[in-house]
Amino acid sequence: MRILVSGAGVAGPVLAYWLTRHGFSVTVVERAPALRRTGGHAVDLFRPATDISEKMGVLPRVEERATGTNRMTVYREGSRRPVRADLSKIFGAASDRHVEIMRDDLSQIYYDATRDDVEYVFDDSITAIVPEGEVRFENAAPRSFDLVVGADGLHSNVRHLVFDEQSRHSTFIGAYLGVLTLPNVADLDGELLIHVGVGRTAGMYGARHLGEARVLFLFRSERELDYHYRDVPRQKELLRGAFAGMHAHVDRWLDELDRTPAFYFDSITQVHMDTWSRGRVTLVGDAGYCPGPAVGGSTTLAVVGAYVLAGELARAGGDHVRAFPAYERVMAPHVRGSRAVASSAAKTLIPTSPLGVWGLAQGARLISALPAGPSRALLRLTTKSARLYDSMTVDDCPP
Ligand SMILES: Cc1cc2nc3c(=O)[nH]c(=O)nc-3n(C[C@H](O)[C@H](O)[C@H](O)COP(=O)(O)OP(=O)(O)OC[C@H]3O[C@@H](n4cnc5c(N)ncnc54)[C@H](O)[C@@H]3O)c2cc1C
């Protein structure tokens, strides 16, 4: 049985790994000319995703490439004295088994685990999926596949082709994010330096073993901003406008906007769909149910979704009529929970009031100062479903 997966990010290679383990023949088509090394950003693997990575035999590599960010210095806008917090305690309160890693490193590790058994086609994209099984591409000749899976991210091409009316599925949650790569001149090593004000948060993190540092900008906007997704100068202008006058550190980061080798800008958008499957096509990861980049555990959700989908296809002997609804049934509560966590995390990370700014800094300090048990309790009190990811259980895949 031949399965085509669109997208070699995180969900795509994990799905390809488990599908080949279950005996399916897999092709992955990736639009980028090579595995994307876009500078990337740090992502979180919580317990179920680290467990799945362990089953794949890649956990030692994942841990080796972990960012190791374990300290945080928080500057409240307008206040001179920073608050210092132990970030590893905060993550520890949220998850018993958490690894933070750069997205590009994670993608490379999952790709390496599959490259010998999976056909990867780079620099191409699906243009049409005919219900009878033929798939057409921008560059390659048409080919036939039994099933097609869209693992092509927040702005999924497969979702667009098969479910159309893209905008109907995207829910803007009132914020934007920007990421830039810059030299680690501050020589940060395992540290996150963060500035928080009402409606805006900017943070720089870096580690010596990772080379360059990254800055993440998050800001609120009640309405969707007017810009084209390819108009990078306009996106940079929007960032400069949103962060003007925040702090001298932030001004220096903004100065790097014209020099950065890698820049990312997007709205924080959730994908809401009634179903992720239509006929022989289904969606996995951000393509089907992104809870919002940078604010939710979308990477964990993508890894879990890929593992569950492959398992259900194996259990149903490749019968998608049984497997797709079963996959959706298992994932639906996880997706609902993730959306709630993401919306709540967005409120905490980009506070809407001076009290929220104070609460973020003091909450971080308090959680990091308490022993593990009370810090978990405090996190539960302050953040909705803080331990949601650790509570997700995934069945063992059929052998
Ligand atoms: C700035 C930022 C910060 C983030 N921070 C966090 C975080 O702190 N914690 C966390 O858990 N998650 C975070 N995320 C989210 C995380 O990156 C994603 O949830 C995760 O990568 C999802 O994996 P995916 O495989 O579904 O999609 P992606 O990783 O986006 O992969 C999609 C792949 O599909 C490819 N593709 C796109 N279009 C096509 C096409 N037409 N044809 C073929 N291939 C195509 C892309 O090139 C890409 O390789 C963040 C995301 C961003 C953007």
Side-chain angles (χ1 to χ4, degrees), residues 15-146:
L15 177 66
Y17 176 91
W18 288 102
L19 286 175
T20 46
R21 275 272 294 260
H22 297 314
F24 298 103
S25 171
V26 183
T27 299
V28 178
V29 58
E30 164 61 50
R31 186 185 52 184
L35 207 60
R36 275 178 89 181
R37 300 221 47 105
T38 51
H41 46 267
V43 298
D44 301 302
L45 293 183
F46 294 108
R47 172 176 277 290
T50 44
D51 288 353
I52 291 166
S53 302
E54 187 170 42
K55 287 177 206 273
M56 293 169 69
V58 299
L59 191 57
R61 269 195 81 194
V62 168
E63 287 174 336
E64 197 183 288
R65 292 298 300 169
T67 61
T69 309
N70 54 24
R71 283 166 292 123
M72 176 163 80
T73 304
V74 186
Y75 291 84
R76 277 191 293 135
E77 192 168 356
S79 157
R80 279 168 179 259
R81 275 219 322 251
V83 167
R84 296 188 207 282
D86 180 344
L87 204 52
S88 53
K89 288 279 282 295
I90 297 171
F91 280 126
S95 174
D96 297 336
R97 212 179 185 199
H98 166 263
V99 183
E100 186 189 66
I101 181 170
M102 302 310 286
R103 178 206 168 275
D104 290 356
D105 286 340
L106 185 65
S107 178
Q108 181 76 49
I109 291 168
Y110 289 148
Y111 166 74
D112 288 345
T114 52
R115 62 195 303 172
D116 294 338
D117 305 312
V118 171
E119 179 193 22
Y120 277 91
V121 180
F122 287 97
D123 203 12
D124 213 343
S125 178
I126 299 171
T127 54
I129 303 168
V130 180
E132 292 71 41
E134 187 182 272
V135 179
R136 301 194 191 119
F137 299 92
E138 264 172 30
N139 300 324
R143 288 168 64 177
S144 287
F145 292 92
D146 300 294

Side-chain angles (χ1 to χ4, degrees), residues 254-274:
L254 291 171
D255 286 345
E256 293 291 333
L257 278 173
D258 291 326
R259 290 185 283 269
T260 184
F263 176 70
Y264 178 93
F265 186 85
D266 211 339
S267 61
I268 304 192
T269 295
Q270 297 191 330
V271 175
H272 287 245
M273 303 178 75
D274 299 335

Side-chain angles (χ1 to χ4, degrees), residues 216-370:
L216 176 69
F217 292 101
L218 297 165
F219 67 96
R220 291 197 168 278
S221 173
E222 273 176 26
R223 47 178 188 81
E224 292 197 59
L225 299 170
D226 181 26
Y227 69 96
H228 189 272
Y229 74 101
R230 285 212 180 117
D231 187 351
V232 173
R234 167 88 181 124
Q235 295 164 11
K236 291 181 176 175
E237 183 188 304
L238 288 168
L239 267 189
R240 284 195 183 95
F243 286 89
M246 191 175 197
H247 190 276
H249 288 156
V250 182
D251 290 344
R252 278 202 291 279
W253 301 341
L254 291 171
D255 286 345
E256 293 291 333
L257 278 173
D258 291 326
R259 290 185 283 269
T260 184
F263 176 70
Y264 178 93
F265 186 85
D266 211 339
S267 61
I268 304 192
T269 295
Q270 297 191 330
V271 175
H272 287 245
M273 303 178 75
D274 299 335
T275 172
W276 314 310
S277 315
R278 183 163 290 174
R280 294 172 178 276
V281 180
T282 194
L283 302 170
V284 69
D286 280 4
Y289 34 79
C290 179
V295 290
S298 41
T299 307
T300 294
L301 200 61
V303 171
V304 171
Y307 176 82
V308 169
L309 174 58
E312 292 302 337
L313 276 166
R315 214 167 267 131
D319 177 6
H320 67 282
V321 177
R322 283 193 288 139
F324 288 175
Y327 156 61
E328 297 204 9
R329 266 195 307 278
V330 175
M331 289 304 294
H334 300 331
V335 170
R336 276 197 301 274
S338 299
R339 279 185 200 136
V341 170
S343 300
S344 153
K347 285 198 191 99
T348 308
L349 286 175
I350 326 166
T352 52
S353 65
L355 187 64
V357 174
W358 182 86
L360 171 61
Q362 296 307 323
R365 192 184 58 79
L366 202 59
I367 289 171
S368 74
L370 289 170

